[in-house]
Amino acid sequence: MITIYPAASRYSTNHGWLQSNFSFSFAEYYDPNNLQFGPLRVFNDDIVQSGTGFGAHPHREMEIVSIVLKGQLKHEDSTGNTEVLVPGEIQRMSAGTGIVHSEFNPSDTEDVNFLQLWFLPDKKGLEPSYEQFAYDQDALHNQLLPIVSNRQEGEHRVAHIHQDLTLYLSKLDAGRTISFTQSTGRRIYVFIIEGELELNGEKKLAKRDAARITDTSSLELKAYSNTHFMLIDLP
C-alpha cells in the first residue's frame, strides 16, 4: 500500500524567526492518528532566520538526524561537540541517557533550511554520541546512496544509527528510473526534496510530498524532472 501525504497536508507554523512544517505530531501539533511511522517519530522541515536558533535544550532516548538543504547550522552539545553543518553533510546524534544541545544559524544574512528526523532507538540507556561528515555528492547521481544505517552499506561511509533502518539520498535525472527492494514486512518512507517522482507507475509525488509505504517490498521510482529525494527503509 502506498499512501501519499502532500506537502500541504503537513502542519505549518510560523514564529517569525522560525518557520516549520511537521509531518508527524510535534510541539503544539497533536494528532493521535499521526504519531509515527514505524520508528520514525519526527520529520520536520525548518527554516531558521539568520542570527537566531534553538537555545540549549535536552533530549533523551532518541536518534536524531539532521540534513541542511540551504545555509548553515551550528551545533553545540553537552558532550563537547561544536560543529557547523552545511549542505552535503550528514549529522547523527544519539541522545541516549541524556544530552543537551543547541542549534543556531550563524549567518548574518542567509536563512538556513534543514530537515530533522527523530527515530526511536532499538535499545535504551545508550551512551550519548555524535557523528558528522560529508558524503560523496557524485555518488547520489542516479542511484540510492546510503548515508545513515545500522550497518555498513557497500564502500561508502554511513552514520551509524541505533535502529534497524537505512536512510538513502538520491539525485535522479529526468526520465531515469531506479528500483528498490526490501525484505517483506518492512516499511518505506519517501520524501521529495526537489522535483517530481512516480512510484510503481501509479503514484506521483511533487516537491515536499511524502509517501508511507507498507506491504510493498519492491518499488520502481521514475523521475519526471531532475529530482532530489530521500528514501528510508524501516522496520
Side-chain angles (χ1 to χ4, degrees):
M1 178 183 295
I2 301 176
T3 304
I4 304 300
Y5 290 79
S9 70
R10 300 178 297 174
Y11 179 87
S12 297
T13 181
N14 190 338
H15 297 286
W17 66 274
L18 169 68
Q19 299 176 52
S20 295
N21 291 284
F22 303 149
S23 295
F24 298 92
S25 294
F26 187 81
E28 72 271 20
Y29 165 53
Y30 178 74
D31 178 350
N33 298 313
N34 189 29
L35 294 178
Q36 63 192 83
F37 184 61
L40 176 55
R41 176 62 188 85
V42 168
F43 194 118
N44 292 351
D45 183 355
D46 290 339
I47 297 175
V48 177
Q49 288 185 349
S50 59
T52 65
F54 302 92
H57 56 282
H59 291 286
R60 293 178 60 88
E61 308 298 357
M62 198 66 67
E63 302 288 297
I64 300 175
V65 173
S66 298
I67 300 172
V68 168
L69 303 179
K70 178 185 177 183
Q72 50 187 318
L73 185 69
K74 184 177 181 179
H75 163 98
E76 294 186 10
D77 66 48
S78 54
T79 65
N81 294 295
T82 300
E83 300 282 353
V84 176
L85 185 68
V86 298
E89 296 181 337
I90 182 68
Q91 180 192 95
R92 185 274 309 163
M93 183 177 74
S94 296
T97 54
I99 195 169
V100 175
H101 80 143
S102 62
E103 295 158 300
F104 185 78
N105 180 355
S107 172
D108 294 328
T109 58
E110 184 181 23
D111 293 350
V112 60
N113 180 200
F114 69 102
L115 304 176
Q116 188 164 96
L117 293 71
W118 296 10
F119 299 94
L120 300 171
D122 56 12
K123 62 180 69 174
K124 293 186 177 182
L126 295 167
E127 181 179 352
S129 61
Y130 179 88
E131 188 176 7
Q132 180 176 323
F133 62 88
Y135 52 85
D136 185 352
Q137 291 288 298
D138 293 336
L140 297 178
H141 190 217
N142 291 326
Q143 62 181 338
L144 291 165
L145 176 68
I147 60 169
V148 179
S149 186
N150 69 332
R151 56 191 177 274
Q152 182 61 40
E153 294 278 342
E155 64 185 76
H156 298 284
R157 178 183 176 183
V158 296
H160 182 81
I161 193 166
H162 300 94
Q163 182 53 264
D164 180 21
L165 66 86
T166 301
L167 185 156
Y168 302 86
L169 290 178
S170 181
K171 289 185 176 179
L172 192 59
D173 290 342
R176 292 291 297 267
T177 299
I178 55 176
S179 299
F180 176 77
T181 302
Q182 64 175 190
S183 302
T184 57
R186 293 180 64 83
R187 302 172 176 89
I188 306 172
Y189 190 87
V190 176
F191 181 80
I192 310 302
I193 298 170
E194 298 283 346
E196 301 169 289
L197 199 66
E198 184 182 73
L199 305 181
N200 284 356
E202 56 174 313
K203 302 287 189 176
K204 191 172 182 180
L205 292 82
K207 179 179 178 179
R208 295 313 206 258
D209 290 350
R212 303 181 196 180
I213 303 165
T214 57
D215 303 316
T216 306
S217 57
S218 295
L219 202 60
E220 186 176 80
L221 307 101
K222 180 180 180 180
Y224 276 84
S225 59
N226 292 341
T227 301
H228 186 194
F229 70 95
M230 177 190 301
L231 184 150
I232 314 174
D233 176 6
L234 295 157

